Amino acid sequence: MAMMSDNISQDMPVVGRFAPSPTGPMHFGTLVAALGSYLMARQAGGTWRVRIEDLDPPRVVPGAADQMLFLLEALGLTWDGPVVCQSQRFERYREVLDLLRAKDLLFDCNCSRREVLASAPHRGEDGPVYPGTCRTGMRGRRAETAVRLRVANRTLSFVDVIFGPRTQNLETELGDFVLHRADGEFAYQLAVVVDDMDAGITQVVRGADLLASTPRQIYLYECLGAALPYYYHLPLALSASGEKLSKRDGPALIVTRENGAQLMWQVLRFLGQNPPDELRRSQPRELLDWALAHFSCGAVPAENRCFSPKP
């Protein structure tokens, strides 16, 4: 059983990060992750880095990353060091894959999704559980091959600072997972761990939609012999129908220079904070100063919440 607190010292300097995907304009949910991660890192006297997660070229919207960076600066969310783009780190990801293969932790798999679905013992939280078909040699029918990480049959445990204790047996609940996809792209699980490890990230603050993938990332940290960060998963903003809000839910949720401070005020309320009403239409710097002095991680709700934009 692996506990996060066993692998990182409370005395380590805090290094946080914000890692958006440039698939469209910044929206309310993006701002939740940006503001939450910024405040937690800065309150601890730490650094705050920005990374652009542009691993999947077909989904990248031209100009979206630059617009996000412009808005962060306009809202006073200044970062430390250079902005890192995953699309410029492919050689590093290949290097780590080679290292894992040298440890006999990887294997090639040419199973199609249909074949995995047909042979899976049951459905897991993240889709069909991969049954290890190609562990001892490829047996699928697809011409293209993916690269999977061989997982252990044991329970991984960690404590999310907001959502509390979590456990998962990777073999029985997920199976060997992909690090390099059959289409030639690197998988998110590999890139996020390598990027956070190389940047010395000690505090991962992000949306609760990534909570289920955390055990995979912890296992990969272990395989690479690296210290784990602390994880803080923020509640997701849901529509009235219970679906995660996104830019498709209307212009009132899109962050602009004109409405950014007001949406920041709403983010603070959404995260369980109580900014004064008189700051609702204040300048971003004034609102940030209040938030840095008063933000309480303990007040952040450990559940996803419905949110309706208010004028």
Side-chain angles (χ1 to χ4, degrees):
M1 182 176 293
M3 294 298 292
M4 180 171 55
S5 57
D6 293 339
N7 294 288
I8 188 169
S9 168
Q10 293 277 8
D11 298 326
M12 289 182 67
V14 169
V15 183
R17 49 74 157 179
F18 170 55
S21 298
T23 56
M26 181 181 286
H27 57 84
F28 184 83
T30 321
L31 188 57
V32 170
L35 188 57
S37 61
Y38 176 88
L39 291 173
M40 290 187 197
R42 294 301 194 210
Q43 266 200 339
T47 56
W48 187 65
R49 304 189 185 282
V50 171
R51 178 173 72 237
I52 302 299
E53 298 198 331
D54 54 351
L55 270 183
D56 199 348
R59 298 182 64 235
V60 171
V61 174
D66 288 340
Q67 183 65 10
M68 285 182 181
L69 297 176
F70 169 80
L71 286 170
L72 290 177
E73 288 185 319
L75 297 176
L77 303 177
T78 56
W79 58 89
D80 300 296
V83 174
V84 173
C85 294
Q86 289 183 329
S87 58
Q88 298 173 6
R89 288 179 50 78
F90 290 172
E91 287 303 318
R92 174 60 174 151
Y93 304 149
R94 291 190 185 95
E95 180 183 297
V96 173
L97 280 180
D98 290 343
L99 174 64
L100 292 169
R101 195 178 287 278
K103 293 183 176 184
D104 196 28
L105 293 172
L106 303 182
F107 64 91
D108 296 326
C109 172
N110 63 346
C111 293
S112 67
R113 182 170 178 80
R114 179 177 295 180
E115 288 171 323
V116 172
L117 196 60
S119 60
H122 58 272
R123 185 174 180 83
E125 186 174 355
D126 231 22
V129 174
Y130 179 73
T133 307
C134 295
R135 271 191 169 196
T136 57
M138 291 192 293
R139 299 178 182 178
R141 299 179 181 177
R142 186 174 57 185
E144 302 82 7
T145 61
V147 178
R148 292 182 181 270
L149 179 66
R150 195 187 312 273
V151 301
N153 183 12
R154 63 183 176 86
T155 299
L156 277 172
S157 300
F158 74 102
V159 179
D160 185 79
V161 177
I162 293 171
F163 276 75
R166 317 292 288 192
T167 61
Q168 187 180 56
N169 183 304
L170 289 176
E171 185 174 83
T172 61
E173 298 179 52
L174 179 79
D176 307 309
F177 58 93
V178 172
L179 296 185
H180 192 241
R181 294 172 4 197
D183 63 4
E185 300 294 340
F186 292 98
Y188 167 77
Q189 307 298 345
L190 174 72
V192 70
V193 168
V194 175
D195 292 340
D196 284 345
M197 183 179 69
D198 287 355
I201 301 300
T202 63
Q203 185 186 77
V204 173
V205 181
R206 59 191 183 186
D209 52 333
L210 293 170
L211 190 57
S213 69
T214 305
R216 275 169 276 179
Q217 293 163 25
I218 289 174
Y219 184 71
L220 192 46
Y221 268 102
E222 290 183 354
C223 291
L224 294 169
L228 301 175
Y230 284 104
Y231 289 97
Y232 300 67
H233 285 86
L234 303 174
L236 299 179
L238 307 177
S239 66
S241 63
E243 297 180 351
K244 185 176 79 168
L245 287 178
S246 72
K247 56 184 177 291
R248 297 186 298 273
D249 289 285
L253 295 169
I254 301 297
V255 183
T256 66
R257 188 166 185 170
E258 291 70 33
N259 73 356
Q262 185 170 335
L263 284 177
M264 285 170 63
W265 188 91
Q266 291 179 302
V267 165
L268 289 170
R269 296 275 296 177
F270 176 78
L271 291 176
Q273 315 304 307
N274 291 294
D277 286 341
E278 58 266 26
L279 291 181
R280 183 163 186 160
R281 300 189 184 279
S282 64
Q283 294 301 308
R285 184 69 260 173
E286 190 177 359
L287 190 55
L288 268 184
D289 287 344
W290 180 91
L292 285 168
H294 296 90
F295 188 87
S296 169
C297 182
V300 178
E303 60 181 0
N304 299 329
R305 310 174 68 192
C306 287
F307 172 78
S308 299
K310 299 176 183 178

